[in-house]
């Protein structure tokens, strides 16, 4: 997605102003983070003159907030890849399996409410004569607001940004960083990092921005509760455009999937209904997110005609990303490599449009790097693991994943 650039008349200047560049990253859970890391590594290598750690403004929503905050803290895309995908033992390691811990505290809190809620429902039904459904609808307050514990997100990112040369404080960063959540009780956007919102630790803001309702409990900050920023908008790029961004680079990892029955390779299916509830819900969520993104981009074109906007997102026919299991170590690596190569190919395919558009901001495509068939994001598993034991462990996990992915053999003699 691109916009035309209209340059207003201005008096001659002795020294041209440096273009103001902003980066906006949408959410998408672990899958979104993996895609964005792979895509950013491709952009980092394929675009000369674009310093992904030197942007003027970073805007992040949900999982995109973690990536945006890392870049604003000076962490290179390749370093993010090592920390989030390579799974190497280091101080920067961030394992997505930490997101799978049950929210025991939330379960306990809701369980304590159960006797009082049950007594109230029985009283309303038996003593007050209310209908059964009406009396017992209040029992819904006993259900947990999230099934997975997201406190680990705050703790692990706090550790990551507390290392020398980094900061967990918005006010100490060189560039502007805005992480958007949604205030639960009002439905309004909460732009953490903006004046009045910048006292909140970056790690806590990321936790709030990524608190997808139903999956993670709302995050309490200053007596208010916050949930996923994508509930309000997909990108929230207005905050950067309002500050005069000349070039806005956007990454969106979630797109609706277009099935193609003629291309069946084990992951493609004639209809998503064959995939059951998970496939239907994934497609529904992706379609809602993407439709809002399209509306937002059209608004940006009209409201900010002097800004160039470039959007990178997966091909909607890409079955690899739609059917991915992001918690599989093997597939995390495959998805990241896939995103890296797809983005490199996309840059070449869009060369005619991107070249003049990016040139206005001092950025050029590195055609030699983009056409180099030997470039890869990740090496072999053996080189990724630092010890023989690590290599054996990853090989074992990969073989286990392959066995689980195989269809069950039909029973004989029954």
């Amino acid at each position: 997605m691109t916009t035309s650039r209209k340059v207003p008349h201005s008096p001659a200047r002795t020294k041209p102003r440096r273009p103001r560049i902003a980066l906006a990253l949408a959410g998408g859970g672990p899958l979104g983070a993996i895609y964005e890391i792979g895509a950013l590594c491709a952009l980092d290598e394929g675009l000369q003159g674009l310093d992904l750690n030197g942007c003027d403004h970073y805007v992040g929503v949900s999982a995109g907030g973690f990536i945006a905050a890392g870049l604003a803290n000076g962490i290179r895309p390749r370093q993010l890849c090592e920390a989030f995908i390579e799974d190497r033992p280091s101080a920067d390691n961030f394992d997505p399996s930490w997101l799978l811990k049950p929210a025991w505290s939330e379960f306990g809190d809701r369980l304590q409410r159960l006797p009082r809620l049950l007594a109230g429902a029985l009283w309303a039904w038996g003593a007050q004569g209310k209908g059964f459904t009406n009396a017992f609808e209040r029992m819904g307050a006993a259900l947990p607001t999230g099934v997975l514990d997201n406190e680990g997100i705050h703790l692990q990112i706090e550790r990551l940004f507390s290392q020398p040369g980094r900061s967990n404080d918005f006010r100490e960063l060189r560039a502007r960083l805005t992480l958007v959540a949604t205030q639960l009780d009002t439905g309004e956007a909460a732009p953490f990092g903006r004046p009045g919102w910048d006292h909140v630790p970056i790690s806590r803001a990321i936790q709030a921005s990524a608190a997808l309702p139903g999956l993670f409990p709302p995050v309490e900050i200053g007596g208010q509760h916050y949930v996923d920023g994508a509930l309000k908008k997909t990108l929230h790029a207005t905050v950067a455009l309002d500050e005069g961004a000349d070039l806005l680079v956007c990454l969106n990892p979630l797109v609706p999937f277009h099935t193609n029955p003629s291309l069946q390779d084990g992951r493609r299916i004639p209809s998503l209904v064959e995939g059951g509830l998970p496939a239907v819900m994934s497609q529904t969520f992706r379609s809602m997110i993407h439709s809002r993104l399209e509306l937002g981009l059209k608004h940006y074109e009209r409201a900010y005609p002097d800004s160039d906007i470039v959007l990178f997102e997966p091909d909607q026919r890409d079955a690899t990303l739609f059917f991915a299991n992001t918690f599989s170590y093997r597939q995390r690596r495959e998805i990241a490599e896939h995103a890296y190569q797809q983005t490199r190919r996309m840059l070449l395919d869009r060369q005619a449009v991107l070249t003049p558009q990016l040139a206005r901001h001092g950025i050029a495509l590195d055609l030699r790097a983009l056409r180099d068939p030997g470039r890869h994001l990740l090496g072999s598993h053996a080189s990724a693991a630092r010890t023989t034991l690590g290599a054996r462990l990853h090989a074992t996990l990969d073989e286990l994943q392959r066995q689980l992915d195989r269809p069950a053999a039909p029973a004989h003699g029954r």
Side-chain angles (χ1 to χ4, degrees), residues 60-79:
V61 180
S62 193
F66 165 66
I67 309 300
L71 294 172
N73 257 292
I75 303 177
R76 302 295 303 173
R78 284 277 181 172
Q79 290 177 296

Side-chain angles (χ1 to χ4, degrees), residues 25-311:
L25 304 178
L31 174 63
I34 294 169
Y35 169 83
E36 289 178 345
I37 289 173
L40 286 168
C41 287
L43 296 179
D44 195 38
E45 295 177 4
L47 296 179
Q48 296 176 328
L50 175 62
D51 182 2
L52 290 173
N53 295 104
C55 295
D56 298 273
H57 198 153
Y58 298 87
V59 182
V61 180
S62 193
F66 165 66
I67 309 300
L71 294 172
N73 257 292
I75 303 177
R76 302 295 303 173
R78 284 277 181 172
Q79 290 177 296
L80 287 170
C81 181
E82 292 183 2
F84 194 77
I85 295 166
E86 290 271 36
D87 201 20
R88 294 181 179 178
S90 69
D92 286 351
N93 180 253
F94 190 98
D95 189 346
S97 66
W98 291 332
L99 305 178
L100 295 178
K101 296 179 180 179
W104 297 119
S105 177
E106 174 69 9
F107 296 159
D109 177 66
R110 297 292 160 173
L111 189 61
Q112 291 179 357
R113 304 182 185 200
L114 185 59
R116 176 175 54 83
L117 293 170
L118 180 59
L122 291 172
W123 176 260
W125 179 47
Q128 297 179 341
K130 292 185 179 181
F132 181 86
T133 303
N134 188 24
F136 280 85
E137 66 181 0
R138 67 186 67 187
M139 293 295 296
L143 296 175
T145 57
V147 297
L148 298 178
D149 186 6
N150 53 359
E151 184 66 15
I153 297 177
H154 158 62
L155 295 176
Q156 295 300 333
I157 296 177
E158 181 182 49
R159 173 187 59 79
L160 183 67
F161 292 164
S162 296
Q163 297 181 30
R166 302 172 187 170
S167 177
N168 200 32
D169 190 326
F170 286 100
R171 297 162 294 188
E172 295 179 356
L173 297 177
R174 178 201 60 80
R176 173 85 73 182
L177 172 65
T178 304
L179 304 175
V180 186
T182 304
Q183 192 168 356
L184 181 63
D185 291 327
T186 65
E188 296 298 321
F192 293 107
R194 304 282 288 176
W197 298 87
D198 54 2
H199 62 285
V200 177
I202 294 174
S203 55
R204 189 66 77 184
I206 294 173
Q207 179 191 6
S209 181
L212 181 64
L215 188 63
F216 297 115
V219 177
E220 183 177 357
I221 301 174
Q224 301 291 328
H225 290 89
Y226 299 90
V227 293
D228 199 314
L231 269 64
K232 190 74 175 177
K233 293 181 182 178
T234 302
L235 277 176
H236 290 276
T238 306
V239 294
L241 293 169
D242 282 341
E243 293 190 352
D246 298 302
L247 172 64
L248 175 67
V249 179
C250 308
L251 267 70
N252 171 53
L254 296 185
V255 296
F257 179 54
H258 287 186
T259 61
N260 188 341
S262 65
L263 300 173
Q264 299 190 33
D265 62 357
R267 284 174 299 206
R268 294 175 174 86
I269 54 180
S271 172
L272 289 180
V273 74
E274 300 296 330
L277 180 63
V280 172
M281 292 302 296
S282 177
Q283 182 76 334
T284 301
F285 180 73
R286 288 164 177 263
S287 298
M288 293 172 57
I289 290 291
H290 200 256
S291 64
R292 292 190 312 175
L293 174 64
E294 290 177 328
L295 289 174
L297 290 173
K298 290 179 181 179
H299 166 69
Y300 298 154
E301 291 179 8
R302 295 190 302 267
Y304 306 95
D306 297 330
S307 298
D308 281 320
I309 303 173
V310 182
L311 171 67

Side-chain angles (χ1 to χ4, degrees), residues 340-352:
Y340 172 78
Q341 298 296 351
Q342 290 294 320
T343 304
R344 281 162 43 84
R345 188 174 299 113
M346 188 184 305
L347 287 170
L348 287 174
D349 292 343
R350 295 168 57 182
Q351 177 183 350

